[in-house]
């Protein structure tokens, strides 16, 4: 039996990294600022290929981009690749500290603003860019070539997907363990996928907005992709593969993938190893193309706890257009630090939920996470706890009343969880997911939650209100939404609402 099928591993990791009031109150972890990881991965011996600064506009309406765009497709050139990288992972704002130093804000949100998601490009037919394997550095907005030659065929084999060998380029998102574990320790493994999912929300919508098809590949031979990028999987591992562009001719057989020897500047003077992260990644890896193909063909459906004919609160028709281009939305996006407590409209909540949960192209089924919504201040919807029924675009009532204090408590006693207009809790039937996909199903559930959460960010900022991602007390969340949520596990949280720092939005 492969390690991936030994699902007690993911179960044990999830239990061992769960938050509870007791675990948080007895936790003596103190941040060691002198070893805080550097914000950018640096290859000191590689020349920088500076990307174009005059980027093509990303003017397509945010909601049209989230829906997949107009189906256009054009040849991929360096200018458009640069725009895709900027709106997915680029530095959108810089803030100087009074005592020196600079904080870089990125296009996609990240837990603790630590930005451990790295981006690599496997290019074969990009106009203006020689074929090769590249690392993208947001700090100087440049590519550095790790390998010369066309390695698209190597990606296609590792992903057991011939289409990856026929598109102009593929993005690979990876996670640097230590950059996030410095603050969040072993729980950082969850964060790798939340943050990669949020970046995926940007990347897929930006590709659509720029006129390029793109899809997610979550099944691949980990050792082959990591080897292609020259990664040490004990410290950094590939998380998801994203082919970009229209299919053309198949790439020629790739050059031999020899080990890379490029030195990398250490993230900090010392690092703390968290074996639980290494083991969770290793135990969810796929070892061969045959295993990838078998894994992808699983047909057992996850169990569902949804009742057959529940009462419904029908949501208003969602807005088809935001009136704000995707590029403007991404640049405006932040993580709200304080909600005003003011209400949003039912239409605004309806629109955010609808566009966040529409299907996206990928190699595995979606709908692995369920969205439970505590409504605090939404015009036209009675305050209380609900579960969102995607297929009906409706809310099923679970609890009535003012739940602000409950929501704040569930969100690790953070006021943001209760001062929001609505707080969305992501839960999954991990038993069914792991049975179907093995330990890799744990990756899928967290990645999907991060992607839908990232889309909620875009849906909120497109409508000129705010959002923020939060952590939570695992078992308390499940207990709060039970009996409906019985047997599920808490995965992620996103709060939505009016920022206390922003002026009132314009009317639509």
């Amino acid at each position: 039996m492969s390690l991936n099928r030994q699902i007690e591993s993911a179960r044990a990791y999830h239990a061992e990294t769960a938050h509870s009031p007791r675990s948080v109150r007895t936790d003596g972890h103190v941040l060691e600022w002198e070893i805080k990881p550097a914000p950018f991965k640096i290859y000191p011996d590689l020349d920088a290929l500076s990307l174009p600064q005059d980027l093509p506009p990303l003017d397509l309406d945010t909601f049209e981009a989230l829906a997949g765009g107009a189906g256009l497709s054009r040849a991929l050139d360096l200018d458009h690749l640069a725009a895709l990288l900027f709106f997915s992972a680029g530095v959108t704002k810089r803030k100087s500290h009074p005592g020196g130093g600079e904080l870089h804000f990125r296009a996609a949100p990240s837990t603790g603003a630590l930005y451990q998601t790295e981006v690599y490009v496997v290019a074969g037919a990009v106009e203006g860019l020689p074929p090769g394997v590249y690392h993208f550095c947001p700090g100087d907005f440049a590519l550095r070539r790790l390998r010369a030659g066309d390695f698209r065929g190597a990606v296609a084999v590792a992903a057991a997907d011939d289409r990856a060998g026929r598109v102009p380029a593929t993005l690979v998102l990876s996670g640097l363990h230590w950059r996030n574990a410095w603050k969040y320790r072993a729980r950082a493994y969850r964060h790798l996928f939340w943050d990669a999912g949020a970046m995926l929300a940007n990347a897929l919508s930006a590709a659509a907005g720029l006129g390029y098809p793109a899809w997610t590949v979550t099944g691949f031979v980990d050792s082959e992709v990591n080897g292609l990028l020259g990664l040490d999987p004990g410290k950094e591992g590939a998380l998801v593969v994203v082919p970009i562009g229209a299919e053309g001719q198949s790439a020629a057989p790739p050059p031999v993938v020899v080990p890379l020897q490029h030195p990398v500047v250490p993230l900090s003077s010392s690092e703390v190893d968290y074996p639980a992260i290494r083991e969770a990644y290793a135990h969810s890896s796929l070892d061969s193309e045959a295993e990838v193909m078998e894994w992808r063909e699983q047909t057992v459906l996850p169990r569902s706890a949804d009742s057959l004919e529940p009462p419904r609160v029908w949501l208003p028709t969602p807005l088809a257009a935001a009136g704000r281009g995707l590029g403007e939305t991404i640049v405006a996006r932040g993580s709200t630090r304080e909600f005003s407590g003011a209400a949003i409209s039912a239409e605004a909540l309806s629109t955010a939920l609808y566009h966040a949960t529409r299907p996206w192209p990928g190699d595995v089924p979606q709908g692995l996470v369920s969205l439970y919504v505590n409504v605090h201040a939404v015009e036209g919807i009675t305050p209380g706890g609900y579960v969102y029924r995607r297929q009906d675009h409706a809310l099923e009532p679970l609890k009535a009343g003012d739940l602000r204090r409950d929501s704040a408590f569930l969100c690790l006693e953070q006021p943001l969880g209760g001062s929001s207009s609505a707080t969305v809790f992501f839960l999954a039937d991990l038993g069914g997911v792991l049975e179907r996909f093995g330990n890799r199903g744990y990756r899928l559930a967290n990645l999907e939650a991060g992607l839908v959460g990232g889309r909620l960010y875009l849906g909120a900022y497109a409508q000129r209100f705010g959002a923020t991602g939060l952590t939570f007390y695992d078992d308390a969340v499940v207990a709060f939404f039970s009996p409906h949520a019985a047997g599920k596990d808490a995965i992620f949280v996103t709060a939505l609402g009016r920022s206390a720092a922003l002026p009132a939005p314009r009317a639509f």
Side-chain angles (χ1 to χ4, degrees), residues 385-448:
Y386 301 83
V387 62
Y388 175 58
R389 297 178 60 83
R390 301 187 197 196
Q391 65 274 31
D392 299 327
H393 190 53
L395 296 175
E396 176 186 343
L398 302 178
K399 296 189 176 192
D402 184 348
L403 303 178
R404 288 188 184 274
R405 293 183 65 180
D406 301 274
S407 295
F409 172 78
L410 295 175
C411 295
L412 227 65
E413 302 176 59
Q414 299 173 89
L416 280 165
S419 60
S420 63
S421 303
T423 298
V424 182
F425 296 82
F426 297 82
L427 285 82
D429 171 19
L430 278 185
V433 171
L434 296 177
E435 180 181 342
R436 183 179 187 187
F437 295 107
N439 293 319
R440 208 173 186 89
Y442 193 72
R443 298 190 188 188
L444 297 181
N446 283 279
L447 186 73
E448 180 177 312

Side-chain angles (χ1 to χ4, degrees), residues 42-46 145-147 229-230 259-265:
I42 299 173
Y43 292 88
D45 293 350
L46 297 181
R145 190 162 67 175
L146 306 175
R147 297 182 188 274
L229 305 179
L260 292 178
Q261 304 296 331
H262 304 306
V264 178
V265 175

Side-chain angles (χ1 to χ4, degrees), residues 10 62 71 81 136 148 153 155 183-184 187 198 228 242 254 283 285 373 478:
T62 301
L81 176 62
F136 169 61
V155 176
K183 182 174 184 179
Y184 297 106
R187 195 172 168 97
L228 180 65
V242 189
H283 291 176
S285 293
V373 186
V478 176

Side-chain angles (χ1 to χ4, degrees), residues 351-399:
T351 299
L353 290 172
Y354 177 83
H355 289 290
T357 55
R358 294 309 89 197
W360 59 89
D363 65 333
V364 294
Q366 294 142 28
L368 302 182
V369 295
S370 300
L371 279 62
Y372 290 76
V373 186
N374 278 356
V375 171
H376 306 136
V378 178
E379 296 166 359
I381 300 179
T382 303
Y386 301 83
V387 62
Y388 175 58
R389 297 178 60 83
R390 301 187 197 196
Q391 65 274 31
D392 299 327
H393 190 53
L395 296 175
E396 176 186 343
L398 302 178
K399 296 189 176 192

Side-chain angles (χ1 to χ4, degrees), residues 295-386:
W295 175 84
R296 199 173 279 149
E297 292 170 358
Q298 300 303 309
T299 57
V300 179
L301 294 175
R303 297 186 297 273
S304 173
D306 292 341
S307 52
L308 294 177
E309 292 296 335
R312 296 175 179 85
V313 174
W314 299 104
L315 291 167
T317 301
L319 293 171
R324 192 176 209 179
L326 179 62
E328 182 185 351
T329 295
I330 289 174
V331 172
R333 188 213 58 80
S335 289
T336 303
R337 299 306 176 196
E338 182 180 359
F339 289 116
S340 68
I344 61 174
S345 68
E347 183 183 57
L349 178 63
S350 166
T351 299
L353 290 172
Y354 177 83
H355 289 290
T357 55
R358 294 309 89 197
W360 59 89
D363 65 333
V364 294
Q366 294 142 28
L368 302 182
V369 295
S370 300
L371 279 62
Y372 290 76
V373 186
N374 278 356
V375 171
H376 306 136
V378 178
E379 296 166 359
I381 300 179
T382 303
Y386 301 83

